[in-house]
């Protein structure tokens, strides 16, 4: 449901995605786990419904929802396994935003409509063995040739890399500069491999990429100008971080619904577990923390839509929500008792999946450090905290 089919009313579209989550995504989780991958039919349905296009402007074939609307949609479709989201997350966040902000107009018109339609899956190839939290330490190199570039290096932990059509590869050019290149995943010299074991996200494994003398044309340099790679990366990362924060709230919502249903149906000592005060207290604590995360995410999204990217508030939302969902997951597993450890109940699977959310798009410790540094700089400069609400 891209722009070519007509942009729907948002409230109607939100209801469609909520129904899709309840009627198709959640019921297909068992099939996904058994197959070890997201079923192709589900990927096609996600494309048909326009989920690959929610952040891409109508001028390039997308639905072009605001950030607040994207967050509201994320809160719905991430009540299902967050592995589903991973299949289109690199399209709607990291890659499309980097291309929108830093690509040439020819690159935008070539790639974005295909991405919006789900026909061109893109993967964001930044992380390396020595460039994780320190994203500036990129070791992959791009050497200029007479009519283009030659790339050599390796990437790791790359979402969607193994089945992407196109890789957005970050490489060092001219010494200190980092640039981004649009690379066909099937190009000579490109190889990908997935790990033998994943601790969570088993049905959507990340991949490693090897680049050996990969030749790319001059027009595959993002934006046509060397040295803009890190700026392009941050454009995508800030967008993706807010989506990750919303994903944490969506996952917490589902786990709390499942755990509440369990304690209401499970009887011990002649009464439902839900009658126990200690159980009610655990549920209440989880709910209040989840709702705090929801409010923080929506507030950051509205500030984003107001025209200034609230980088520190987005960072705070990602930090708080990813830590929050870990606490909620752990408590829900505890409330399930034996079913939280043995058997096919969805909560322990989600418990494993959400653990990764404290690591990617900036590990928690990095967000804590960066927020502390931003506070010190901001108060020293004008006496206010960063992204402050204070009125002077």
């Amino acid at each position: 449901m891209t722009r070519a089919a007509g942009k729907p009313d948002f409230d109607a579209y939100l209801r469609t995605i909520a129904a899709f989550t309840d009627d198709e995504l959640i019921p297909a989780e068992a099939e996904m786990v058994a197959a070890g991958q997201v079923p192709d039919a589900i990927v096609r349905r996600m494309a048909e419904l326009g989920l690959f296009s929610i952040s891409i402007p109508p001028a390039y074939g997308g639905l072009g929802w605001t950030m607040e609307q994207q967050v509201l949609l994320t809160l719905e479709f991430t009540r299902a396994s967050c592995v589903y989201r991973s299949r289109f997350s690199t399209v709607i966040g990291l890659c499309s935003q980097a291309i929108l902000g830093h690509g040439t107009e020819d690159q935008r018109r070539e790639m974005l409509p295909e991405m919006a339609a789900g026909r061109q899956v893109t993967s964001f190839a930044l992380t390396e063995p020595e460039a994780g939290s320190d994203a500036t330490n990129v070791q992959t190199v791009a050497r200029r040739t007479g009519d283009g570039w030659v790339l050599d290096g390796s990437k790791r932990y790359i979402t969607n890399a193994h089945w992407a059509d196109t890789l957005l590869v970050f490489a060092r050019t001219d010494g200190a500069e980092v640039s981004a290149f649009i690379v066909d995943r099937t190009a000579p010299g490109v190889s990908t491999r997935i790990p033998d074991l994943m601790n969570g996200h088993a049905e959507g494994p990340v991949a490693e990429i090897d680049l050996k003398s990969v030749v790319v044309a001059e027009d595959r340099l993002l934006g046509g100008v060397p040295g803009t790679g890190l700026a392009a990366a941050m454009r995508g990362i800030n967008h993706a971080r807010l989506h990750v924060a919303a994903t944490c709230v969506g996952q917490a919502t589902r786990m709390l619904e499942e755990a509440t249903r369990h304690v209401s149906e499970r009887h011990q000592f002649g009464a439902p577990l839900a009658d126990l005060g200690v159980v009610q207290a655990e549920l209440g604590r989880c709910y209040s923390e989840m709702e705090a995360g929801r409010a923080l995410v929506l507030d950051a999204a509205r500030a984003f839509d107001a025209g200034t990217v609230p980088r520190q508030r987005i960072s705070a939302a990602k930090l708080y929500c990813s830590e929050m969902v870990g606490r909620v997951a752990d408590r829900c597993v505890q409330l399930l008792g034996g079913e939280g450890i043995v058997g096919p109940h969805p909560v322990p699977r989600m418990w494993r999946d959400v653990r990764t959310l404290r690591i990617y798009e900036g590990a928690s410790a990095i967000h804590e450090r960066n927020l502390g540094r931003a506070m010190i700089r901001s108060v020293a400069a004008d006496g206010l905290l960063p992204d402050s609400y204070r009125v002077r």
Side-chain angles (χ1 to χ4, degrees), residues 21 25-26 29 76-82 84 251 254:
T21 301
L25 291 182
I26 291 175
E29 287 175 345
E76 287 299 330
F77 58 68
T78 58
R79 289 186 293 105
S81 169
C82 58
Y84 290 128
Q251 294 284 280
R254 168 78 177 288

Side-chain angles (χ1 to χ4, degrees), residues 199-224:
N199 184 16
H201 285 257
E203 302 78 26
V206 296
E208 296 189 4
I209 305 170
D210 287 324
L211 304 155
K212 296 182 179 179
S213 300
V214 179
V215 176
V216 294
E218 184 66 34
D219 66 357
R220 301 295 85 185
L221 172 65
L222 188 68

